[in-house]
Amino acid sequence: MEYRKLIEIELREFDRETLEKSWEWLNDPQLKSLTMTPDFDQESQEKWFESLKTRNDYHLKAGWYNGVPIAVYGLKHITGSDAELFGYIGEKELWGKTAAIQMMQDVIAYARSRNLESLYCITLKENKRTYRLCSRFGFKTEKEVTDETIMMRLYL
């Protein structure tokens, strides 16, 4: 996909510094709502982070800009055939600056390298940014999950 990068992000492994920033991001009411994040505490977040070392159903990365983490993205619920796409840009001033496009390209390439057949995304119907991003990459609305959410899928 051709596009003009407004910023150039560095794609890194998800680390403790990003974990700490994600605590802040996912407790922001707007981001928490858009990502449908349930309530959690730092102890449960730490247990989840430690569990990543032994899990193969997660692929987690971080986007960095100017030496600091700005975003989290990846795949969860990875099976032999598909996985759920997720991600968010925690630094709101960078929304709309092409970071999400770079992250999406990376995660789709990873899914193809794993020979997955498809990726799906569950998003709020009101989350227009996610809907536009997924549509731009060829995701199609597959079904309504709840009155507020839809599932979109990309066949690889």
Side-chain angles (χ1 to χ4, degrees):
M1 168 184 300
E2 291 293 322
Y3 70 97
R4 186 176 60 120
K5 290 182 184 176
L6 299 177
I7 63 170
E8 179 87 33
I9 65 169
E10 182 182 352
L11 307 174
R12 298 186 187 180
E13 295 305 312
F14 185 85
D15 63 5
R16 182 155 302 279
E17 188 172 352
T18 309
L19 177 75
E20 291 168 4
K21 284 298 287 181
S22 70
W23 169 261
E24 175 187 318
W25 297 330
L26 293 175
N27 279 290
D28 172 89
Q30 183 183 19
L31 198 55
K32 184 177 179 130
S33 173
L34 287 171
T35 58
M36 301 177 289
T37 300
D39 290 336
F40 66 101
D41 59 27
Q42 287 181 304
E43 182 180 338
S44 62
Q45 184 189 36
E46 180 64 30
K47 285 180 184 174
W48 171 81
F49 180 67
E50 288 300 319
S51 80
L52 293 173
K53 295 174 185 171
T54 59
R55 295 178 74 169
N56 59 7
D57 64 334
Y58 253 93
H59 172 71
L60 196 56
K61 302 274 295 259
W64 286 61
Y65 180 65
N66 286 341
V68 295
I70 62 151
V72 175
Y73 69 101
L75 301 175
K76 58 185 177 179
H77 309 301
I78 301 171
T79 69
S81 60
D82 69 3
E84 181 178 350
L85 170 76
F86 71 95
Y88 56 89
I89 298 170
E91 299 300 327
K92 293 180 190 178
E93 68 274 8
L94 297 176
W95 287 6
K97 304 289 187 213
T98 69
I101 292 171
Q102 294 167 69
M103 294 171 0
M104 185 72 96
Q105 288 176 321
D106 183 61
V107 79
I108 290 172
Y110 175 78
R112 286 187 171 128
S113 78
R114 292 272 307 251
N115 294 316
L116 296 180
E117 295 170 18
S118 69
L119 295 178
Y120 63 93
C121 174
I122 298 173
T123 187
L124 290 170
K125 292 176 183 176
E126 70 184 47
N127 190 339
K128 300 301 182 200
R129 286 182 185 275
T130 296
Y131 181 84
R132 279 193 310 268
L133 176 67
C134 287
S135 295
R136 183 174 189 175
F137 278 87
F139 284 74
K140 304 288 184 214
T141 300
E142 183 171 279
K143 66 180 179 178
E144 188 174 281
V145 179
T146 68
D147 288 343
E148 295 86 28
T149 61
I150 57 170
M151 177 186 285
M152 301 179 77
R153 186 174 299 271
L154 171 67
Y155 287 95
L156 304 169

